Amino acid sequence: MKIAIYPGSFDPVTNGHLDIIRRAAKVFDKLFVCVAINPGKKYFFTIDERIHMMKEACASFYNVEVVFTSDLIVRKAKELGANVIVRGLRAVTDFEFEFQLAAANEYADSSIETVFMMASTGKGFISSSTIKEFYKSNVDISPLVPHSVVEMFQKNKK
């Protein structure tokens, strides 16, 4: 069985993330979407809100399970039996950061591979940061995120 993990902070989940999830779910028998905590980041949504939004967004994928970790991703992958980490790339600017992250993960556990998936055409500009900025500037984000994200923004009115 081919098992992978797709980690991220998902603050919030976007249609770009869902594009990677949809495509990775076709490649792997089981895909764990891991909502992670990065101590170096300041979050807009709480961990519970991010997990809730992701679970709603992934409800239609039969082989996708949403999980959480505050530990290293390679440790969570090992715990779940995943031997592949899926990472999305939007543009060349993502590559350097992602390459360093993949090298660090390989150092921590060389039995786990990293697979990169390019963003689909038209989704490369979507990022969680852009979504938050658009929302704060009263730009309609509804075509860029799942409905649960729009609802969560409206509920929080941050």
Side-chain angles (χ1 to χ4, degrees):
M1 183 178 244
K2 296 182 292 184
I3 302 172
I5 188 169
Y6 176 46
S9 55
F10 305 113
D11 186 38
V13 57
T14 70
N15 288 348
H17 295 130
L18 288 177
D19 176 60
I20 298 293
I21 292 167
R22 177 186 53 77
R23 291 166 45 218
K26 290 179 184 177
V27 174
F28 299 98
D29 299 313
K30 179 75 175 183
L31 177 65
F32 290 99
V33 175
C34 186
V35 181
I37 293 180
N38 177 340
K41 278 190 176 182
K42 183 179 177 189
Y43 294 106
F44 189 88
F45 292 105
T46 68
I47 187 63
D48 290 336
E49 289 170 329
R50 290 184 284 135
I51 291 168
H52 171 77
M53 288 184 288
M54 186 58 81
K55 283 184 176 180
E56 284 201 7
C58 292
S60 65
F61 300 106
Y62 76 93
N63 63 336
V64 173
E65 184 179 335
V66 177
V67 296
F68 156 79
T69 193
S70 59
D71 200 358
L72 292 176
I73 294 303
V74 291
R75 287 190 185 141
K76 187 67 174 182
K78 192 68 99 183
E79 173 191 321
L80 297 170
N83 62 352
V84 175
I85 298 171
V86 174
R87 299 294 296 174
L89 293 173
R90 291 176 300 229
V92 173
T93 53
D94 287 344
F95 181 77
E96 186 174 352
F97 171 78
E98 293 294 344
F99 183 79
Q100 289 175 347
L101 189 59
N105 286 334
E106 181 182 12
Y107 175 79
D109 189 333
S110 62
S111 71
I112 299 175
E113 293 291 336
T114 299
V115 172
F116 296 104
M117 297 185 92
M118 297 300 299
S120 292
T121 305
K123 294 193 172 42
F125 75 95
I126 304 172
S127 71
S128 295
S129 299
T130 301
I131 296 301
K132 290 180 277 199
E133 189 172 328
F134 279 175
Y135 182 78
K136 288 177 184 177
S137 300
N138 295 314
V139 175
D140 181 16
I141 60 169
S142 61
L144 306 175
V145 297
H147 185 69
S148 61
V149 172
V150 175
E151 288 177 342
M152 194 65 72
F153 270 113
Q154 291 170 345
K155 177 183 168 189
N156 287 341
K157 291 287 186 192
K158 291 183 182 182

